[in-house]
Amino acid sequence: MIDLHYWTTPNGHKITIFLEETGLPYNIIPVNIGKGEQFKSNFLAVSPNNRIPAIVDHAPADGGKPISIFESGAILLYLADKTGKFIARDVRGRTESIQWLFWQMGNLGPMAGQNNHFSNYAVEKLPYAIDRYRNEVNRLYGVLDRQLADRTFIAGDYSIADMASYPWIVPHERQGQKLADFPNLKRWFEAVRARPAVVQAYEKAKEINPNPPGIRTAEERAILFGQTAASVRAATR
Ligand SMILES: N[C@@H](CCC(=O)N[C@@H](CS)C(=O)NCC(=O)O)C(=O)O
């Protein structure tokens, strides 16, 4: 059994997609990040960066004590290796999946996160910051569109690279992007969206958090947007 410390955000969806695709048994432990549950000590014990998602695998391959993992890319890679699914076995295919997984982790996720922050959450609308991140996300959509011009999925066969990127394309309207400008990306997006496991993962999210994504109360904003080292110190004391 896998414990999944989860909230209903793009990085959380990546892991429910993988678990639904493979049918691995899992147990969701909700971590409501708007209420500050990411600072609870039981969560920090598995996720020291106070961010979801994290997992605990109670039946690791070596038969030893449970393994806990944080960072969604590391989790996807761990689960792909554990199951032998959604990552190619040959060195070239495996490297292709891993490099696009890292591309998502280092580019699409962080830039889309900042774009969302400055375009949607920031009270003060700063044109320089909004343009900077919206343009960068636009560039990244262009990179994906080009990559998908001559292949069905990002790294060839459907893999953890697709599972990592898909949840970050879902909010394309909030990101100020037009999917119609990226025909290959749009075709891929629709193909991934139609997968039963992907539908199931998003249904699960609605069960856990019926509130529409992207709406933040004043209380939630204070928890999410005012973090410093003091927040971490206070949590671990
Ligand atoms: N690089 C991390 C990023 C995780 C992340 O930013 N998670 C967000 C939700 S998508 C979170 O937990 N935020 C809580 C907070 O900001 O306190 C990963 O991919 O796992």
Side-chain angles (χ1 to χ4, degrees):
M1 180 65 91
I2 306 267
D3 282 341
L4 170 60
H5 298 258
Y6 164 89
W7 197 240
T8 54
T9 67
N11 289 316
H13 299 316
K14 293 175 186 175
I15 313 304
T16 45
I17 291 173
F18 186 99
L19 293 166
E20 291 294 332
E21 290 281 6
T22 52
L24 268 181
Y26 68 103
N27 165 41
I28 289 188
I29 302 168
V31 181
N32 187 335
I33 60 172
K35 290 204 170 128
E37 291 175 2
Q38 66 274 42
F39 290 106
K40 285 189 176 167
S41 56
N42 65 332
F43 178 64
L44 287 172
V46 295
S47 189
N49 193 38
N50 64 267
R51 298 280 186 272
I52 66 96
I55 65 166
V56 179
D57 181 1
H58 292 277
D62 64 3
K65 62 182 177 60
I67 294 182
S68 67
I69 307 135
F70 67 102
E71 282 293 323
S72 60
I75 297 169
L76 286 174
L77 193 51
Y78 175 87
L79 292 174
D81 283 344
K82 177 182 173 75
T83 56
K85 289 187 177 151
F86 301 115
I87 189 161
R89 282 160 197 245
D90 66 289
V91 67
R92 285 161 208 277
R94 180 178 167 84
T95 305
E96 189 74 353
S97 304
I98 291 176
Q99 72 185 354
W100 282 97
L101 175 67
F102 275 61
W103 174 86
Q104 189 287 320
M105 295 298 296
N107 294 271
L108 184 62
M111 295 301 126
Q114 296 305 320
N115 188 24
N116 191 31
H117 185 83
F118 287 107
S119 296
N120 300 313
Y121 290 139
V123 175
E124 193 185 346
K125 298 293 178 219
L126 299 168
Y128 182 88
I130 292 170
D131 288 352
R132 158 86 187 139
Y133 290 110
R134 188 172 290 169
N135 288 346
E136 181 60 0
V137 169
N138 188 261
R139 184 187 74 81
L140 295 167
Y141 274 44
V143 170
L144 264 190
D145 193 58
R146 188 164 182 268
Q147 174 69 2
L148 287 162
D150 58 359
R151 67 208 84 200
T152 311
F153 294 106
I154 296 173
D157 290 338
Y158 181 63
S159 75
I160 51 175
D162 302 289
M163 297 178 199
S165 279
Y166 173 79
W168 286 98
I169 305 297
V170 171
H172 50 89
E173 285 172 11
R174 278 173 67 78
Q175 291 285 321
Q177 309 298 330
K178 287 198 205 85
L179 264 197
D181 294 344
F182 305 96
N184 306 308
L185 180 62
K186 185 168 187 288
R187 186 251 313 139
W188 166 88
F189 177 74
E190 283 162 5
V192 177
R193 184 175 58 181
R195 294 180 70 88
V198 173
V199 173
Q200 192 53 37
Y202 280 79
E203 283 302 313
K204 195 140 272 187
K206 275 193 242 159
E207 282 166 30
I208 290 179
N209 177 18
N211 298 325
I215 310 286
R216 295 280 178 216
T217 64
E219 196 186 12
E220 290 176 336
R221 298 171 64 87
I223 290 166
L224 289 166
F225 306 146
Q227 296 176 13
T228 62
S231 324
V232 181
R233 272 187 219 114
T236 50
R237 216 180 284 139

